[in-house]
Amino acid sequence: MYRLDSYELVRRSVIVGGMSKRAAAREYGVNRRSVDKMVGSASPPGYVLKSARRKWVLGDFMEKIEEIVLKDQLGAPTKQTHTGQHIFERLRDEFGYTGGSTQVRGYVSELRARSREAFIPLVSLAGEAQSDFGEAWVDICGHRIKCHAFFMVLPQSDVWFMRLYPAENAESFCDGNAAAFAFFGGVPRRIVYDNAGYAVKRGSGPLKGRDRELCSLFAELRSAFLFEAAFAAPYKGNEKGSVERHVGTLRKSLLVPVPSADSFEELNARLLAKATAHKEKSELFQKETDAFLPLADYAPCRLEERKADKLSLVKFEGNSYSVPTKYVLRSVLVKASPFKLEILSAKEVVATHVRSYEKDRAFAQLAHYLDLLERKPRAVRTALPVLQAGLPDAYEAYRRRVEDGTSVGDRKFIAVLRLGQELGFERIGSVLGWASMLGADEPAEIRMLALKETETPTTILCTDWKLPENRQSPRVSRPPLSEYTRLLVGAAS
């Protein structure tokens, strides 16, 4: 290694002063070859190895270290890979390595640095979006439950959409997409998704490349709105970094503290109001809308064929839902959306239920069983649709009052249930207490009381009438009663 002042002196003497290289070597006591190097290089080149130094102790074990590191990179779980110290201990104990750990750890770091992925800076284009799901906890009707938040983000304008669902499935995923499109007022041309099973069909092996076979419901959604669906490589969250970032940020800003509401509908209305306020502040959103595709008249849902059993119940995802009894043992079509189930027969909706994500539950609507109860009145006391109807206490009091050990009392109760279906269960419930005080137990009497309660009293049209000015009202003179007697006597003669 040359001293910088000596280096400069030799160069100055030869290049500026015109001294020969031989004379400079003799004058400054430097080897002639060193003078050639000084004159040929503007700065000291330092010590340069012509080839890497041989690692006499580690050299025979380098191939084994490379094999262990490669196995870790190809198949081991991220948190269960070898450390440099662990590899050193294996080499020492299993393969007879006699060197120290520093060389082993240094070589492991060098190997891993070679395989680290480099990234290219990217820009966000107008009309492109990213989508993902995240988990959160909410309080619904006083019960804390885990929900699933659908996110869609426009990276260029930073406008976002968020909607909560009780489950992360194909119906929620497609409904979230359609709701986001409606919120944006158009359809992003290209959307990046991850490889969830409700969007991408699973094959016999790991996902390779970028081509994907879509699940039927998502394929139908893409066909309806005509956007391009792009999929990130497995375990590559950086390919949709904008939405990944928003999942954590929005969860902390919008769902802390844990939100409380009576329904998902109420929670989603709050989130929509906040998303709308953010969208209205965005200066770049108009540029996004210019690049959007037009909306389509399409509401995503999952359709599955089922058969009603002899209890007039249709099974769907572990629960049973009632249909009118005339559809017993007939095939029906279940139209499933995230919060609602519609059951159809010949394109006609025959039953609508709130969708439940619990298991082994039965949901029977009273209206579906009234016809059958009229034919089997003795079943009314323990009938599931009656118990699930949530009737006011006055109904049970009436049932006990008319119960006589025969089907007569049961038929009266069923007739009152039919009245509730016709005129409103709350209305009839309020009349039943009044009927009890009056001793009116017949359904016809209860019907009359219900109708009378809501009758509007007849009003007589009265006007303030006055005589014209300077006019007097007529006077009627009444004859004495004797005149009437005279008339009666004359009529008798």
Side-chain angles (χ1 to χ4, degrees):
M1 193 72 179
Y2 308 111
R3 288 180 56 186
L4 189 58
D5 53 350
S6 302
Y7 193 88
E8 180 186 355
L9 184 60
V10 172
R11 281 174 53 79
R12 186 180 296 278
S13 298
V14 175
I15 297 173
V16 179
M19 184 182 290
S20 69
K21 294 180 182 178
R22 186 185 298 274
R26 190 170 50 249
E27 174 72 21
Y28 298 113
V30 181
N31 187 283
R32 169 71 183 276
R33 290 191 299 274
S34 297
V35 174
D36 288 340
K37 292 178 182 178
M38 291 177 179
V39 172
S41 178
S43 60
Y47 183 73
V48 180
L49 286 174
K50 292 182 179 179
S51 61
R53 289 194 183 97
R54 183 179 176 186
K55 299 180 180 180
W56 295 97
V57 179
L58 186 66
D60 295 336
F61 298 91
M62 291 172 70
E63 188 176 342
K64 177 55 69 176
I65 295 172
E66 291 168 5
E67 180 186 337
I68 295 172
V69 171
L70 183 61
K71 282 184 178 179
D72 278 353
Q73 291 173 345
L74 292 179
T78 307
K79 296 183 179 180
Q80 291 175 253
T81 56
H82 289 79
T83 63
Q85 181 65 24
H86 192 188
I87 292 176
F88 159 70
E89 291 171 359
R90 283 193 60 187
L91 292 178
R92 183 193 63 196
D93 300 340
E94 299 176 23
F95 303 102
Y97 175 67
T98 57
S101 67
T102 303
Q103 281 191 327
V104 174
R105 288 188 281 110
Y107 189 55
V108 170
S109 298
E110 181 185 334
L111 288 175
R112 286 177 174 161
R114 290 180 198 170
S115 63
R116 284 181 188 144
E117 184 179 2
F119 299 97
I120 299 171
L122 303 176
V123 295
S124 300
L125 302 180
E128 296 194 358
Q130 298 175 8
S131 174
D132 202 2
F133 262 104
E135 293 182 348
W137 291 87
V138 296
D139 291 336
I140 301 290
C141 296
H143 298 284
R144 181 153 297 183
I145 61 173
K146 182 167 72 173
C147 69
H148 302 265
F150 173 86
F151 294 90
M152 186 173 286
V153 177
L154 303 173
Q156 189 183 83
S157 62
D158 201 43
V159 172
W160 53 268
F161 174 79
M162 178 181 177
R163 187 171 173 83
L164 299 178
Y165 293 96
E168 182 180 345
N169 54 24
E171 299 89 278
S172 302
F173 175 65
C174 292
D175 182 80
N177 276 272
F181 300 158
F183 171 73
F184 295 144
V187 182
R189 291 182 175 272
R190 185 175 184 271
I191 307 173
V192 181
Y193 300 97
D194 59 14
N195 298 276
Y198 45 74
V200 178
K201 281 187 179 178
R202 290 294 186 257
S204 57
L207 295 170
K208 297 179 180 179
R210 300 289 174 169
D211 293 334
R212 301 287 187 272
E213 185 179 357
L214 304 185
C215 294
S216 58
L217 189 56
F218 184 51
E220 186 178 311
L221 180 86
R222 188 179 67 171
S223 174
F225 290 104
L226 302 176
F227 58 88
E228 177 191 350
F231 293 90
Y235 311 111
K236 295 289 184 181
N238 58 289
E239 294 190 6
K240 48 184 183 64
S242 181
V243 72
E244 294 278 357
R245 201 165 49 249
H246 277 78
V247 167
T249 303
L250 292 176
R251 181 164 46 203
K252 285 187 178 298
S253 61
L254 301 179
L255 301 179
V256 176
V258 175
S260 177
D262 292 332
S263 66
F264 276 95
E265 184 179 2
E266 181 183 338
L267 277 177
N268 286 328
R270 292 184 206 164
L271 293 174
L272 181 62
K274 292 181 179 179
T276 303
H278 176 73
K279 179 178 70 173
E280 291 172 351
K281 294 176 183 177
S282 174
E283 298 177 358
L284 296 175
F285 182 66
Q286 184 57 46
K287 188 177 178 181
E288 299 268 19
T289 59
D290 294 340
F292 283 160
L293 298 169
L295 290 170
D297 184 14
Y298 172 77
C301 63
R302 177 152 62 103
L303 296 175
E304 291 194 11
E305 189 174 353
R306 291 287 189 271
K307 189 174 183 179
D309 60 19
K310 62 182 181 181
L311 298 176
S312 199
L313 295 172
V314 175
K315 291 186 178 178
F316 181 79
E317 291 191 341
N319 292 319
S320 298
Y321 301 88
S322 68
V323 293
T325 51
K326 66 179 181 180
Y327 296 101
V328 164
L329 302 180
R330 287 171 57 179
S331 293
V332 293
L333 196 63
V334 178
K335 182 179 177 182
S337 57
F339 301 103
K340 184 173 71 171
L341 289 182
E342 291 183 336
I343 302 176
L344 297 84
S345 176
K347 297 185 179 181
E348 177 190 0
V349 178
V350 298
T352 302
H353 291 268
V354 175
R355 184 171 179 177
S356 173
Y357 290 91
E358 299 178 70
K359 297 298 179 184
D360 301 320
R361 294 285 307 277
F363 302 93
Q365 295 182 9
L366 180 56
H368 296 161
Y369 293 89
L370 280 175
D371 291 339
L372 186 59
L373 283 170
E374 287 173 342
R375 298 198 300 272
K376 299 181 177 182
R378 297 300 297 274
V380 72
R381 187 175 68 86
T382 56
L384 178 65
V386 177
L387 299 176
Q388 283 190 346
L391 300 173
D393 294 339
Y395 282 87
E396 177 62 16
Y398 174 79
R399 189 194 68 77
R400 291 180 178 178
R401 192 164 69 248
V402 298
E403 188 176 28
D404 56 1
T406 69
S407 61
V408 175
D410 295 329
R411 289 184 189 280
K412 288 182 180 180
F413 180 55
I414 294 167
V416 169
L417 293 178
R418 179 73 76 177
L419 278 177
Q421 181 69 26
E422 178 188 349
L423 301 176
F425 288 105
E426 291 294 333
R427 180 178 170 186
I428 296 299
S430 64
V431 168
L432 286 175
W434 183 21
S436 174
M437 290 188 291
L438 297 175
D441 290 337
E442 293 297 324
E445 296 174 324
I446 294 169
R447 181 185 183 87
M448 290 300 298
L449 289 173
L451 294 174
K452 184 177 180 182
E453 188 183 46
T454 54
E455 274 183 354
T456 9
T458 307
T459 54
I460 301 172
L461 182 62
C462 298
T463 57
D464 294 332
W465 180 80
K466 294 182 179 179
L467 285 169
E469 195 175 353
N470 301 324
R471 295 291 182 92
Q472 292 184 353
S473 58
R475 296 180 177 274
V476 179
S477 58
R478 297 184 179 182
L481 291 177
S482 58
E483 293 295 325
Y484 289 101
T485 306
R486 184 176 63 78
L487 290 173
L488 289 173
V489 172
S493 61

